[in-house]
Amino acid sequence: MKNKILKGIILSTVSVLFFACQPKKEEAVALDKEQIKNEIQAIENKMAEMFNDRNVVAEEYYASDATSFSQNKPPLVGKAEIERSIKEDLNNFPKGYQIAFVVNEVFPSTDGIQVVEIGNYRVSDSTSAPLYTGNYIAVFEKRDGKYVCIRDMSASDKNKNEQAEKE
């Protein structure tokens, strides 16, 4: 009789522990993908404005630990190095040229903390005639309530020789 009671207590204890130790099922956070896309587009618009004003402040776009991958350059690590490189590029960006970034798609993480953006850009001359275009991927992370870019990579649709001939 004591064996049956002891087995019952052990079985009950194991059952309680088994069910109590099950991971809680997290409820999915309702994300508004269109709202996130609009928020990222606003960030891209601000970056284009800084480019077009020839006054890029990396702090407005990049996280301090960001890495940027550009054509014909080693990876740029940290917003200071990224800003320095952008400013060097802008020295060769003809006066009157304008850039525009367009968010094509966003892929937010289930909690909305990280967002992968796929977009394109267009460079136009002072008459708004398109000169060349390109594509990019950026990864944003929400820090202190604001999305900042932690990784990005871009590629022009034209090679440097074609771009130089146009300019």
Side-chain angles (χ1 to χ4, degrees), residues 9 14 21 23-24 37 42 54 62 71 76 79 97-98 105 109 112-113 118-119 126 131 135 144 153 160 165 167:
I9 291 172
V14 169
C21 293
K24 291 183 180 180
K37 183 177 180 181
R54 310 304 194 263
Y62 290 100
Q71 293 182 149
L76 303 169
K79 64 183 165 191
Y97 279 24
Q98 300 286 303
E105 297 178 89
S109 60
I113 300 296
I118 297 174
S126 59
L131 298 171
N135 300 286
D144 298 323
M153 178 180 281
K160 279 195 171 265
E165 287 171 12
E167 296 171 358

Side-chain angles (χ1 to χ4, degrees), residues 51 70 73 84-94:
F51 262 88
S70 299
K73 293 182 184 179
R84 181 191 51 73
S85 177
I86 291 171
K87 287 181 177 184
E88 284 174 7
D89 290 345
L90 285 174
N91 287 334
N92 299 320
F93 202 63

Side-chain angles (χ1 to χ4, degrees), residues 68-120:
S68 182
F69 301 90
S70 299
Q71 293 182 149
N72 306 311
K73 293 182 184 179
L76 303 169
V77 180
K79 64 183 165 191
E81 188 174 342
I82 295 167
E83 184 173 308
R84 181 191 51 73
S85 177
I86 291 171
K87 287 181 177 184
E88 284 174 7
D89 290 345
L90 285 174
N91 287 334
N92 299 320
F93 202 63
K95 199 163 187 80
Y97 279 24
Q98 300 286 303
I99 192 165
F101 299 104
V102 176
V103 177
N104 296 332
E105 297 178 89
V106 292
F107 300 93
S109 60
T110 56
D111 59 4
I113 300 296
Q114 288 192 334
V115 177
V116 175
E117 171 203 3
I118 297 174
N120 67 75

